[in-house]
Amino acid sequence: MAQFDLPLEALRTYSPDISEAPGFDDFWSDTLAADEPVALLTETPVDNRQRLIDTYDLTFTGFGGAPVRGWLHVPAGATGPLPTVVQYHGYSVSRGMPLASTFASAGYAHFVMDNRGQGWHAASLFDRTPDPHPAAGEFGPPGPMTSGIAAPETYYYRRLLTDALRFAQLAAGHRLADPGRVVVTGGSQGGYLTLAVAGLAPSVGLRLAGAMPDVAFMCHIRRAVGLTDDAPFSDIARFIKAAPHLEEAVWATLGHYDGVSFARRAECPALFSVALADTICPPSTVFAAHNAYPAPRDIVIYPHSGHEGGQDVQTWRQLGWLAETI
């Protein structure tokens, strides 16, 4: 695949100005203060048809107290406390089936969060999480990318990011997890949620041991919308095209949600990855977050990969990084 963004030499030092909302910290402080503390609603053992891993079907309270689903995978018979990996999924994906967990096989408690209102690209026989918020039904292209985007209070990602932070808090307090060894991870949208949780964690007293964002989405959003024709960033352009009178409101909303802003506030070490032929999450947008990240960090570069990134090669590298870090 052909590279299309800035040359690597420029990417390594790329540090753009981001249109961060003036009230960014207050917005998120108020959002989290007004929301309910996380609670575990249900935890049910699941027959995952595997002998070496135990799986639990979790339901916890996300944004607004709404029930959100997740999996917990642990080595069979584990009693804890275990080093813990909290994983977030990409856009359009659900928690999927309770099948093989590389992290549980390596000895970790592996928490996997469902994406509310998503899941149309992940076949599963198990329940998904709906998005019951009234704004979820507003005008926009298919999918939640522009749901409620005319105001920061109604935007879809306010709900999903709060879900993600609550899930990490739930994991840190779980009987099978070691609260001092919790790492968050995910690819694409999951990489964005990883950065958001890493950035918000200090404000709620959650001390993470690390973050592993892969090909992170929703970073340097304005550049991404102007640079790629691929969905789901193109959905923002389509929304503005259909409703040009809302363009200023859209950019004002997104100023509360840029992954670079969250990256700037993170305190835990991080292992990033980026693909230089990625037309969905352009490499300059990923480097913008990486270069703004103030804590110790490294980045693995895949020069000829698209949005698939490093796949199993990156998982291999993550396992090595985890062993050294926690």
Side-chain angles (χ1 to χ4, degrees), residues 39-46 55-62 66-73 86-89 94-98 110-116 124 126-130 163 167 170 174:
L40 179 62
L41 300 177
T42 64
E43 178 178 303
T44 307
V46 172
T55 296
Y56 300 89
D57 187 348
L58 306 179
T59 309
F60 68 97
T61 52
V68 180
R69 311 303 292 258
W71 298 124
L72 168 58
H73 307 292
V86 180
Q87 183 176 8
Y88 306 109
H89 278 305
S94 71
R95 62 178 178 159
M97 295 290 288
H110 182 199
F111 290 77
V112 182
M113 191 187 84
D114 207 18
N115 290 323
R116 64 163 66 206
S124 179
F126 294 83
D127 289 340
R128 294 170 171 84
T129 301
D163 292 349
F167 194 53
L170 176 76
H174 195 276

mmCIF file of all heavy atoms in Angstrom, residues 39-46 55-62 66-73 86-89 94-98 110-116 124 126-130 163 167 170 174:
data_model
loop_
_atom_site.group_PDB
_atom_site.id
_atom_site.type_symbol
_atom_site.label_atom_id
_atom_site.label_comp_id
_atom_site.label_asym_id
_atom_site.label_seq_id
_atom_site.Cartn_x
_atom_site.Cartn_y
_atom_site.Cartn_z
ATOM 1 N N ALA A 39 -20.987 0.703 38.830
ATOM 2 C CA ALA A 39 -21.438 -0.424 39.646
ATOM 3 C C ALA A 39 -21.503 -1.666 38.766
ATOM 4 O O ALA A 39 -21.879 -1.589 37.589
ATOM 5 C CB ALA A 39 -22.806 -0.141 40.259
ATOM 6 N N LEU A 40 -21.123 -2.789 39.333
ATOM 7 C CA LEU A 40 -21.253 -4.073 38.639
ATOM 8 C C LEU A 40 -22.674 -4.577 38.855
ATOM 9 O O LEU A 40 -23.080 -4.846 39.991
ATOM 10 C CB LEU A 40 -20.231 -5.071 39.183
ATOM 11 C CG LEU A 40 -20.251 -6.470 38.566
ATOM 12 C CD1 LEU A 40 -19.941 -6.421 37.075
ATOM 13 C CD2 LEU A 40 -19.259 -7.383 39.282
ATOM 14 N N LEU A 41 -23.437 -4.701 37.783
ATOM 15 C CA LEU A 41 -24.828 -5.119 37.879
ATOM 16 C C LEU A 41 -24.970 -6.634 37.857
ATOM 17 O O LEU A 41 -25.734 -7.204 38.634
ATOM 18 C CB LEU A 41 -25.643 -4.492 36.753
ATOM 19 C CG LEU A 41 -25.675 -2.959 36.708
ATOM 20 C CD1 LEU A 41 -26.467 -2.479 35.498
ATOM 21 C CD2 LEU A 41 -26.260 -2.404 37.994
ATOM 22 N N THR A 42 -24.250 -7.289 36.942
ATOM 23 C CA THR A 42 -24.300 -8.751 36.859
ATOM 24 C C THR A 42 -22.927 -9.291 36.488
ATOM 25 O O THR A 42 -22.151 -8.626 35.791
ATOM 26 C CB THR A 42 -25.320 -9.240 35.807
ATOM 27 O OG1 THR A 42 -24.898 -8.803 34.501
ATOM 28 C CG2 THR A 42 -26.716 -8.710 36.107
ATOM 29 N N GLU A 43 -22.645 -10.486 36.959
ATOM 30 C CA GLU A 43 -21.430 -11.210 36.584
ATOM 31 C C GLU A 43 -21.792 -12.685 36.523
ATOM 32 O O GLU A 43 -22.039 -13.311 37.557
ATOM 33 C CB GLU A 43 -20.312 -10.975 37.602
ATOM 34 C CG GLU A 43 -19.042 -11.757 37.278
ATOM 35 C CD GLU A 43 -17.936 -11.472 38.288
ATOM 36 O OE1 GLU A 43 -17.583 -10.293 38.452
ATOM 37 O OE2 GLU A 43 -17.443 -12.437 38.911
ATOM 38 N N THR A 44 -21.858 -13.223 35.319
ATOM 39 C CA THR A 44 -22.352 -14.584 35.116
ATOM 40 C C THR A 44 -21.308 -15.426 34.404
ATOM 41 O O THR A 44 -20.835 -15.042 33.320
ATOM 42 C CB THR A 44 -23.634 -14.554 34.261
ATOM 43 O OG1 THR A 44 -24.582 -13.651 34.848
ATOM 44 C CG2 THR A 44 -24.238 -15.946 34.156
ATOM 45 N N PRO A 45 -20.912 -16.565 34.982
ATOM 46 C CA PRO A 45 -19.980 -17.450 34.257
ATOM 47 C C PRO A 45 -20.585 -17.906 32.930
ATOM 48 O O PRO A 45 -21.788 -18.155 32.829
ATOM 49 C CB PRO A 45 -19.795 -18.629 35.215
ATOM 50 C CG PRO A 45 -20.213 -18.122 36.558
ATOM 51 C CD PRO A 45 -21.288 -17.106 36.292
ATOM 52 N N VAL A 46 -19.745 -17.987 31.921
ATOM 53 C CA VAL A 46 -20.170 -18.395 30.586
ATOM 54 C C VAL A 46 -19.402 -19.643 30.173
ATOM 55 O O VAL A 46 -18.185 -19.733 30.397
ATOM 56 C CB VAL A 46 -19.908 -17.265 29.560
ATOM 57 C CG1 VAL A 46 -20.168 -17.739 28.141
ATOM 58 C CG2 VAL A 46 -20.774 -16.063 29.874
ATOM 59 N N THR A 55 -14.516 -17.487 31.541
ATOM 60 C CA THR A 55 -15.117 -16.260 31.025
ATOM 61 C C THR A 55 -16.359 -15.905 31.822
ATOM 62 O O THR A 55 -17.151 -16.774 32.178
ATOM 63 C CB THR A 55 -15.494 -16.428 29.543
ATOM 64 O OG1 THR A 55 -14.298 -16.640 28.771
ATOM 65 C CG2 THR A 55 -16.208 -15.196 29.006
ATOM 66 N N TYR A 56 -16.500 -14.600 32.076
ATOM 67 C CA TYR A 56 -17.674 -14.072 32.763
ATOM 68 C C TYR A 56 -18.346 -13.027 31.882
ATOM 69 O O TYR A 56 -17.672 -12.190 31.268
ATOM 70 C CB TYR A 56 -17.270 -13.430 34.094
ATOM 71 C CG TYR A 56 -16.602 -14.377 35.057
ATOM 72 C CD1 TYR A 56 -15.228 -14.559 35.028
ATOM 73 C CD2 TYR A 56 -17.354 -15.096 35.985
ATOM 74 C CE1 TYR A 56 -14.603 -15.436 35.904
ATOM 75 C CE2 TYR A 56 -16.741 -15.977 36.874
ATOM 76 C CZ TYR A 56 -15.363 -16.137 36.828
ATOM 77 O OH TYR A 56 -14.746 -17.010 37.696
ATOM 78 N N ASP A 57 -19.668 -13.085 31.835
ATOM 79 C CA ASP A 57 -20.479 -12.091 31.145
ATOM 80 C C ASP A 57 -20.793 -10.990 32.152
ATOM 81 O O ASP A 57 -21.444 -11.227 33.171
ATOM 82 C CB ASP A 57 -21.761 -12.752 30.646
ATOM 83 C CG ASP A 57 -22.601 -11.847 29.770
ATOM 84 O OD1 ASP A 57 -22.320 -10.634 29.712
ATOM 85 O OD2 ASP A 57 -23.560 -12.353 29.152
ATOM 86 N N LEU A 58 -20.306 -9.770 31.874
ATOM 87 C CA LEU A 58 -20.458 -8.659 32.805
ATOM 88 C C LEU A 58 -21.497 -7.653 32.300
ATOM 89 O O LEU A 58 -21.614 -7.423 31.096
ATOM 90 C CB LEU A 58 -19.130 -7.912 32.980
ATOM 91 C CG LEU A 58 -17.891 -8.706 33.377
ATOM 92 C CD1 LEU A 58 -16.690 -7.771 33.463
ATOM 93 C CD2 LEU A 58 -18.108 -9.440 34.691
ATOM 94 N N THR A 59 -22.208 -7.058 33.232
ATOM 95 C CA THR A 59 -23.016 -5.864 32.955
ATOM 96 C C THR A 59 -22.668 -4.831 34.006
ATOM 97 O O THR A 59 -22.687 -5.138 35.209
ATOM 98 C CB THR A 59 -24.525 -6.161 33.006
ATOM 99 O OG1 THR A 59 -24.826 -7.281 32.185
ATOM 100 C CG2 THR A 59 -25.320 -4.951 32.524
ATOM 101 N N PHE A 60 -22.333 -3.611 33.573
ATOM 102 C CA PHE A 60 -21.970 -2.554 34.507
ATOM 103 C C PHE A 60 -22.697 -1.275 34.117
ATOM 104 O O PHE A 60 -23.289 -1.175 33.039
ATOM 105 C CB PHE A 60 -20.450 -2.329 34.514
ATOM 106 C CG PHE A 60 -19.902 -1.743 33.237
ATOM 107 C CD1 PHE A 60 -19.664 -0.379 33.113
ATOM 108 C CD2 PHE A 60 -19.630 -2.562 32.153
ATOM 109 C CE1 PHE A 60 -19.165 0.158 31.936
ATOM 110 C CE2 PHE A 60 -19.136 -2.032 30.961
ATOM 111 C CZ PHE A 60 -18.900 -0.670 30.863
ATOM 112 N N THR A 61 -22.646 -0.289 35.003
ATOM 113 C CA THR A 61 -23.314 0.981 34.721
ATOM 114 C C THR A 61 -22.363 1.920 33.991
ATOM 115 O O THR A 61 -21.309 2.269 34.493
ATOM 116 C CB THR A 61 -23.790 1.655 36.020
ATOM 117 O OG1 THR A 61 -22.695 1.750 36.941
ATOM 118 C CG2 THR A 61 -24.918 0.851 36.656
ATOM 119 N N GLY A 62 -22.761 2.320 32.792
ATOM 120 C CA GLY A 62 -22.014 3.297 32.024
ATOM 121 C C GLY A 62 -22.633 4.681 32.171
ATOM 122 O O GLY A 62 -23.244 4.995 33.193
ATOM 123 N N ALA A 66 -26.765 3.702 32.422
ATOM 124 C CA ALA A 66 -27.253 2.714 31.459
ATOM 125 C C ALA A 66 -26.435 1.432 31.555
ATOM 126 O O ALA A 66 -25.212 1.470 31.743
ATOM 127 C CB ALA A 66 -27.160 3.277 30.040
ATOM 128 N N PRO A 67 -27.066 0.267 31.431
ATOM 129 C CA PRO A 67 -26.327 -0.997 31.495
ATOM 130 C C PRO A 67 -25.489 -1.218 30.238
ATOM 131 O O PRO A 67 -25.977 -1.057 29.116
ATOM 132 C CB PRO A 67 -27.428 -2.050 31.625
ATOM 133 C CG PRO A 67 -28.641 -1.407 31.033
ATOM 134 C CD PRO A 67 -28.524 0.058 31.304
ATOM 135 N N VAL A 68 -24.219 -1.562 30.433
ATOM 136 C CA VAL A 68 -23.278 -1.820 29.350
ATOM 137 C C VAL A 68 -22.699 -3.209 29.552
ATOM 138 O O VAL A 68 -22.407 -3.619 30.682
ATOM 139 C CB VAL A 68 -22.148 -0.762 29.331
ATOM 140 C CG1 VAL A 68 -21.169 -1.042 28.187
ATOM 141 C CG2 VAL A 68 -22.733 0.644 29.192
ATOM 142 N N ARG A 69 -22.502 -3.943 28.459
ATOM 143 C CA ARG A 69 -22.028 -5.326 28.527
ATOM 144 C C ARG A 69 -20.514 -5.388 28.384
ATOM 145 O O ARG A 69 -19.869 -4.472 27.878
ATOM 146 C CB ARG A 69 -22.668 -6.187 27.426
ATOM 147 C CG ARG A 69 -24.161 -6.089 27.283
ATOM 148 C CD ARG A 69 -24.902 -6.431 28.564
ATOM 149 N NE ARG A 69 -24.775 -7.841 28.899
ATOM 150 C CZ ARG A 69 -25.742 -8.760 28.686
ATOM 151 N NH1 ARG A 69 -26.869 -8.387 28.123
ATOM 152 N NH2 ARG A 69 -25.571 -10.014 29.044
ATOM 153 N N GLY A 70 -19.955 -6.506 28.798
ATOM 154 C CA GLY A 70 -18.523 -6.750 28.634
ATOM 155 C C GLY A 70 -18.202 -8.196 28.934
ATOM 156 O O GLY A 70 -19.043 -8.952 29.458
ATOM 157 N N TRP A 71 -16.997 -8.585 28.568
ATOM 158 C CA TRP A 71 -16.465 -9.904 28.936
ATOM 159 C C TRP A 71 -15.325 -9.733 29.925
ATOM 160 O O TRP A 71 -14.607 -8.722 29.891
ATOM 161 C CB TRP A 71 -15.901 -10.652 27.726
ATOM 162 C CG TRP A 71 -16.822 -11.009 26.615
ATOM 163 C CD1 TRP A 71 -16.680 -10.680 25.293
ATOM 164 C CD2 TRP A 71 -18.010 -11.805 26.693
ATOM 165 N NE1 TRP A 71 -17.703 -11.199 24.554
ATOM 166 C CE2 TRP A 71 -18.534 -11.903 25.380
ATOM 167 C CE3 TRP A 71 -18.685 -12.437 27.748
ATOM 168 C CZ2 TRP A 71 -19.703 -12.605 25.088
ATOM 169 C CZ3 TRP A 71 -19.856 -13.140 27.462
ATOM 170 C CH2 TRP A 71 -20.345 -13.224 26.146
ATOM 171 N N LEU A 72 -15.150 -10.730 30.760
ATOM 172 C CA LEU A 72 -13.932 -10.882 31.551
ATOM 173 C C LEU A 72 -13.390 -12.274 31.310
ATOM 174 O O LEU A 72 -14.084 -13.267 31.568
ATOM 175 C CB LEU A 72 -14.210 -10.678 33.047
ATOM 176 C CG LEU A 72 -13.080 -11.082 34.005
ATOM 177 C CD1 LEU A 72 -11.796 -10.326 33.694
ATOM 178 C CD2 LEU A 72 -13.491 -10.892 35.458
ATOM 179 N N HIS A 73 -12.169 -12.346 30.790
ATOM 180 C CA HIS A 73 -11.481 -13.617 30.574
ATOM 181 C C HIS A 73 -10.307 -13.704 31.546
ATOM 182 O O HIS A 73 -9.551 -12.738 31.687
ATOM 183 C CB HIS A 73 -10.931 -13.712 29.147
ATOM 184 C CG HIS A 73 -11.940 -13.450 28.063
ATOM 185 N ND1 HIS A 73 -12.979 -14.293 27.792
ATOM 186 C CD2 HIS A 73 -12.049 -12.410 27.183
ATOM 187 C CE1 HIS A 73 -13.702 -13.799 26.785
ATOM 188 N NE2 HIS A 73 -13.149 -12.656 26.408
ATOM 189 N N VAL A 86 -7.417 -3.984 30.001
ATOM 190 C CA VAL A 86 -8.766 -3.545 29.655
ATOM 191 C C VAL A 86 -8.758 -3.171 28.179
ATOM 192 O O VAL A 86 -8.000 -2.301 27.761
ATOM 193 C CB VAL A 86 -9.192 -2.339 30.509
ATOM 194 C CG1 VAL A 86 -10.598 -1.891 30.122
ATOM 195 C CG2 VAL A 86 -9.125 -2.682 31.993
ATOM 196 N N GLN A 87 -9.609 -3.832 27.392
ATOM 197 C CA GLN A 87 -9.580 -3.650 25.937
ATOM 198 C C GLN A 87 -10.862 -2.994 25.437
ATOM 199 O O GLN A 87 -11.967 -3.338 25.855
ATOM 200 C CB GLN A 87 -9.395 -4.991 25.231
ATOM 201 C CG GLN A 87 -9.280 -4.865 23.715
ATOM 202 C CD GLN A 87 -9.007 -6.189 23.031
ATOM 203 O OE1 GLN A 87 -9.043 -7.239 23.650
ATOM 204 N NE2 GLN A 87 -8.733 -6.126 21.740
ATOM 205 N N TYR A 88 -10.665 -2.056 24.483
ATOM 206 C CA TYR A 88 -11.770 -1.377 23.816
ATOM 207 C C TYR A 88 -11.730 -1.691 22.328
ATOM 208 O O TYR A 88 -10.651 -1.817 21.738
ATOM 209 C CB TYR A 88 -11.669 0.136 24.037
ATOM 210 C CG TYR A 88 -11.563 0.516 25.496
ATOM 211 C CD1 TYR A 88 -10.361 1.014 26.014
ATOM 212 C CD2 TYR A 88 -12.636 0.366 26.356
ATOM 213 C CE1 TYR A 88 -10.253 1.356 27.354
ATOM 214 C CE2 TYR A 88 -12.539 0.708 27.697
ATOM 215 C CZ TYR A 88 -11.341 1.196 28.183
ATOM 216 O OH TYR A 88 -11.236 1.531 29.520
ATOM 217 N N HIS A 89 -12.913 -1.775 21.722
ATOM 218 C CA HIS A 89 -13.006 -2.209 20.330
ATOM 219 C C HIS A 89 -13.123 -1.036 19.357
ATOM 220 O O HIS A 89 -13.422 0.092 19.733
ATOM 221 C CB HIS A 89 -14.203 -3.136 20.139
ATOM 222 C CG HIS A 89 -13.932 -4.554 20.538
ATOM 223 N ND1 HIS A 89 -12.881 -5.282 20.021
ATOM 224 C CD2 HIS A 89 -14.562 -5.378 21.411
ATOM 225 C CE1 HIS A 89 -12.886 -6.501 20.543
ATOM 226 N NE2 HIS A 89 -13.886 -6.579 21.395
ATOM 227 N N SER A 94 -18.619 -4.995 18.172
ATOM 228 C CA SER A 94 -19.130 -5.275 19.508
ATOM 229 C C SER A 94 -18.101 -6.115 20.265
ATOM 230 O O SER A 94 -17.019 -6.401 19.754
ATOM 231 C CB SER A 94 -20.456 -6.044 19.425
ATOM 232 O OG SER A 94 -20.221 -7.373 18.986
ATOM 233 N N ARG A 95 -18.459 -6.532 21.464
ATOM 234 C CA ARG A 95 -17.563 -7.402 22.236
ATOM 235 C C ARG A 95 -17.397 -8.768 21.590
ATOM 236 O O ARG A 95 -16.479 -9.507 21.899
ATOM 237 C CB ARG A 95 -18.088 -7.569 23.665
ATOM 238 C CG ARG A 95 -19.459 -8.235 23.750
ATOM 239 C CD ARG A 95 -19.907 -8.415 25.171
ATOM 240 N NE ARG A 95 -21.248 -9.001 25.223
ATOM 241 C CZ ARG A 95 -21.733 -9.625 26.287
ATOM 242 N NH1 ARG A 95 -21.007 -9.765 27.379
ATOM 243 N NH2 ARG A 95 -22.962 -10.115 26.271
ATOM 244 N N GLY A 96 -18.307 -9.120 20.676
ATOM 245 C CA GLY A 96 -18.169 -10.352 19.922
ATOM 246 C C GLY A 96 -18.431 -11.594 20.744
ATOM 247 O O GLY A 96 -19.142 -11.579 21.757
ATOM 248 N N MET A 97 -17.818 -12.694 20.314
ATOM 249 C CA MET A 97 -17.994 -13.989 20.962
ATOM 250 C C MET A 97 -16.949 -14.172 22.072
ATOM 251 O O MET A 97 -15.852 -13.622 21.996
ATOM 252 C CB MET A 97 -17.851 -15.104 19.929
ATOM 253 C CG MET A 97 -18.940 -15.101 18.871
ATOM 254 S SD MET A 97 -20.561 -15.591 19.509
ATOM 255 C CE MET A 97 -20.303 -17.350 19.763
ATOM 256 N N PRO A 98 -17.254 -14.983 23.092
ATOM 257 C CA PRO A 98 -16.312 -15.203 24.196
ATOM 258 C C PRO A 98 -15.277 -16.267 23.856
ATOM 259 O O PRO A 98 -15.163 -17.300 24.530
ATOM 260 C CB PRO A 98 -17.231 -15.641 25.337
ATOM 261 C CG PRO A 98 -18.337 -16.372 24.654
ATOM 262 C CD PRO A 98 -18.561 -15.632 23.353
ATOM 263 N N HIS A 110 -8.454 -10.174 31.568
ATOM 264 C CA HIS A 110 -8.696 -9.468 30.300
ATOM 265 C C HIS A 110 -10.159 -9.020 30.267
ATOM 266 O O HIS A 110 -11.064 -9.838 30.085
ATOM 267 C CB HIS A 110 -8.383 -10.408 29.137
ATOM 268 C CG HIS A 110 -8.544 -9.785 27.791
ATOM 269 N ND1 HIS A 110 -8.680 -10.535 26.634
ATOM 270 C CD2 HIS A 110 -8.592 -8.479 27.388
ATOM 271 C CE1 HIS A 110 -8.798 -9.723 25.604
ATOM 272 N NE2 HIS A 110 -8.755 -8.477 26.038
ATOM 273 N N PHE A 111 -10.378 -7.720 30.453
ATOM 274 C CA PHE A 111 -11.706 -7.128 30.404
ATOM 275 C C PHE A 111 -11.946 -6.571 29.001
ATOM 276 O O PHE A 111 -11.104 -5.836 28.478
ATOM 277 C CB PHE A 111 -11.828 -5.995 31.422
ATOM 278 C CG PHE A 111 -11.839 -6.431 32.864
ATOM 279 C CD1 PHE A 111 -10.665 -6.800 33.508
ATOM 280 C CD2 PHE A 111 -13.030 -6.471 33.576
ATOM 281 C CE1 PHE A 111 -10.667 -7.189 34.838
ATOM 282 C CE2 PHE A 111 -13.045 -6.863 34.915
ATOM 283 C CZ PHE A 111 -11.870 -7.221 35.551
ATOM 284 N N VAL A 112 -13.093 -6.889 28.400
ATOM 285 C CA VAL A 112 -13.405 -6.467 27.030
ATOM 286 C C VAL A 112 -14.747 -5.750 27.046
ATOM 287 O O VAL A 112 -15.779 -6.344 27.384
ATOM 288 C CB VAL A 112 -13.466 -7.672 26.072
ATOM 289 C CG1 VAL A 112 -13.742 -7.207 24.640
ATOM 290 C CG2 VAL A 112 -12.182 -8.489 26.136
ATOM 291 N N MET A 113 -14.758 -4.466 26.677
ATOM 292 C CA MET A 113 -15.990 -3.671 26.736
ATOM 293 C C MET A 113 -16.763 -3.703 25.425
ATOM 294 O O MET A 113 -16.184 -3.658 24.337
ATOM 295 C CB MET A 113 -15.658 -2.213 27.086
ATOM 296 C CG MET A 113 -16.890 -1.378 27.434
ATOM 297 S SD MET A 113 -16.537 0.387 27.653
ATOM 298 C CE MET A 113 -16.582 0.962 25.946
ATOM 299 N N ASP A 114 -18.074 -3.747 25.545
ATOM 300 C CA ASP A 114 -18.959 -3.609 24.401
ATOM 301 C C ASP A 114 -19.100 -2.129 24.045
ATOM 302 O O ASP A 114 -19.010 -1.260 24.922
ATOM 303 C CB ASP A 114 -20.336 -4.173 24.760
ATOM 304 C CG ASP A 114 -21.113 -4.679 23.570
ATOM 305 O OD1 ASP A 114 -20.500 -4.924 22.515
ATOM 306 O OD2 ASP A 114 -22.333 -4.842 23.686
ATOM 307 N N ASN A 115 -19.315 -1.830 22.761
ATOM 308 C CA ASN A 115 -19.561 -0.462 22.308
ATOM 309 C C ASN A 115 -21.063 -0.226 22.208
ATOM 310 O O ASN A 115 -21.732 -0.860 21.387
ATOM 311 C CB ASN A 115 -18.943 -0.223 20.927
ATOM 312 C CG ASN A 115 -17.435 -0.189 20.947
ATOM 313 O OD1 ASN A 115 -16.827 0.316 21.888
ATOM 314 N ND2 ASN A 115 -16.820 -0.724 19.902
ATOM 315 N N ARG A 116 -21.587 0.660 23.035
ATOM 316 C CA ARG A 116 -23.026 0.923 22.972
ATOM 317 C C ARG A 116 -23.436 1.396 21.579
ATOM 318 O O ARG A 116 -22.756 2.210 20.938
ATOM 319 C CB ARG A 116 -23.442 1.954 24.023
ATOM 320 C CG ARG A 116 -22.842 3.320 23.840
ATOM 321 C CD ARG A 116 -23.589 4.386 24.639
ATOM 322 N NE ARG A 116 -23.480 4.216 26.068
ATOM 323 C CZ ARG A 116 -24.394 4.653 26.928
ATOM 324 N NH1 ARG A 116 -25.460 5.297 26.500
ATOM 325 N NH2 ARG A 116 -24.234 4.479 28.229
ATOM 326 N N SER A 124 -22.244 -12.199 16.507
ATOM 327 C CA SER A 124 -22.236 -12.719 17.871
ATOM 328 C C SER A 124 -23.581 -13.341 18.196
ATOM 329 O O SER A 124 -24.626 -12.891 17.700
ATOM 330 C CB SER A 124 -21.926 -11.604 18.878
ATOM 331 O OG SER A 124 -21.946 -12.105 20.204
ATOM 332 N N PHE A 126 -24.411 -13.400 21.376
ATOM 333 C CA PHE A 126 -24.632 -12.833 22.700
ATOM 334 C C PHE A 126 -25.133 -11.391 22.591
ATOM 335 O O PHE A 126 -24.926 -10.720 21.593
ATOM 336 C CB PHE A 126 -23.343 -12.896 23.523
ATOM 337 C CG PHE A 126 -22.912 -14.309 23.835
ATOM 338 C CD1 PHE A 126 -22.182 -15.045 22.914
ATOM 339 C CD2 PHE A 126 -23.263 -14.901 25.037
ATOM 340 C CE1 PHE A 126 -21.797 -16.349 23.188
ATOM 341 C CE2 PHE A 126 -22.880 -16.198 25.324
ATOM 342 C CZ PHE A 126 -22.147 -16.925 24.403
ATOM 343 N N ASP A 127 -25.772 -10.935 23.664
ATOM 344 C CA ASP A 127 -26.411 -9.620 23.661
ATOM 345 C C ASP A 127 -25.406 -8.500 23.432
ATOM 346 O O ASP A 127 -24.286 -8.532 23.938
ATOM 347 C CB ASP A 127 -27.134 -9.375 24.990
ATOM 348 C CG ASP A 127 -28.381 -10.230 25.141
ATOM 349 O OD1 ASP A 127 -28.887 -10.716 24.106
ATOM 350 O OD2 ASP A 127 -28.835 -10.416 26.283
ATOM 351 N N ARG A 128 -25.858 -7.489 22.686
ATOM 352 C CA ARG A 128 -25.100 -6.260 22.495
ATOM 353 C C ARG A 128 -25.681 -5.170 23.400
ATOM 354 O O ARG A 128 -26.732 -5.344 24.010
ATOM 355 C CB ARG A 128 -25.153 -5.810 21.032
ATOM 356 C CG ARG A 128 -24.452 -6.775 20.068
ATOM 357 C CD ARG A 128 -24.758 -6.393 18.635
ATOM 358 N NE ARG A 128 -23.969 -7.143 17.678
ATOM 359 C CZ ARG A 128 -24.275 -8.354 17.235
ATOM 360 N NH1 ARG A 128 -25.369 -8.957 17.688
ATOM 361 N NH2 ARG A 128 -23.522 -8.967 16.347
ATOM 362 N N THR A 129 -24.984 -4.038 23.444
ATOM 363 C CA THR A 129 -25.416 -2.918 24.276
ATOM 364 C C THR A 129 -26.099 -1.861 23.411
ATOM 365 O O THR A 129 -25.466 -1.309 22.506
ATOM 366 C CB THR A 129 -24.210 -2.280 24.993
ATOM 367 O OG1 THR A 129 -23.572 -3.268 25.801
ATOM 368 C CG2 THR A 129 -24.654 -1.116 25.859
ATOM 369 N N PRO A 130 -27.369 -1.546 23.663
ATOM 370 C CA PRO A 130 -28.015 -0.457 22.908
ATOM 371 C C PRO A 130 -27.561 0.895 23.433
ATOM 372 O O PRO A 130 -26.929 0.995 24.486
ATOM 373 C CB PRO A 130 -29.501 -0.690 23.194
ATOM 374 C CG PRO A 130 -29.519 -1.313 24.563
ATOM 375 C CD PRO A 130 -28.271 -2.172 24.641
ATOM 376 N N ASP A 163 -18.461 5.531 29.354
ATOM 377 C CA ASP A 163 -18.522 4.071 29.506
ATOM 378 C C ASP A 163 -17.121 3.485 29.671
ATOM 379 O O ASP A 163 -16.871 2.635 30.537
ATOM 380 C CB ASP A 163 -19.169 3.422 28.279
ATOM 381 C CG ASP A 163 -20.642 3.716 28.110
ATOM 382 O OD1 ASP A 163 -21.269 4.252 29.041
ATOM 383 O OD2 ASP A 163 -21.164 3.411 27.018
ATOM 384 N N PHE A 167 -15.562 1.532 32.849
ATOM 385 C CA PHE A 167 -15.147 0.133 32.711
ATOM 386 C C PHE A 167 -13.750 -0.082 33.289
ATOM 387 O O PHE A 167 -13.485 -1.077 33.959
ATOM 388 C CB PHE A 167 -15.191 -0.277 31.243
ATOM 389 C CG PHE A 167 -15.117 -1.766 30.995
ATOM 390 C CD1 PHE A 167 -15.989 -2.631 31.622
ATOM 391 C CD2 PHE A 167 -14.185 -2.290 30.109
ATOM 392 C CE1 PHE A 167 -15.937 -4.003 31.381
ATOM 393 C CE2 PHE A 167 -14.124 -3.645 29.865
ATOM 394 C CZ PHE A 167 -15.002 -4.511 30.496
ATOM 395 N N LEU A 170 -14.117 -0.061 36.964
ATOM 396 C CA LEU A 170 -14.666 -1.348 37.379
ATOM 397 C C LEU A 170 -13.578 -2.409 37.428
ATOM 398 O O LEU A 170 -13.466 -3.172 38.399
ATOM 399 C CB LEU A 170 -15.769 -1.775 36.410
ATOM 400 C CG LEU A 170 -16.367 -3.163 36.663
ATOM 401 C CD1 LEU A 170 -17.311 -3.126 37.850
ATOM 402 C CD2 LEU A 170 -17.085 -3.672 35.427
ATOM 403 N N HIS A 174 -12.040 -4.779 40.642
ATOM 404 C CA HIS A 174 -12.552 -6.151 40.603
ATOM 405 C C HIS A 174 -11.692 -7.082 41.448
ATOM 406 O O HIS A 174 -10.473 -6.907 41.541
ATOM 407 C CB HIS A 174 -12.607 -6.649 39.155
ATOM 408 C CG HIS A 174 -13.431 -7.880 38.964
ATOM 409 N ND1 HIS A 174 -12.942 -9.142 39.173
ATOM 410 C CD2 HIS A 174 -14.730 -8.022 38.590
ATOM 411 C CE1 HIS A 174 -13.890 -10.027 38.923
ATOM 412 N NE2 HIS A 174 -14.990 -9.377 38.568
#
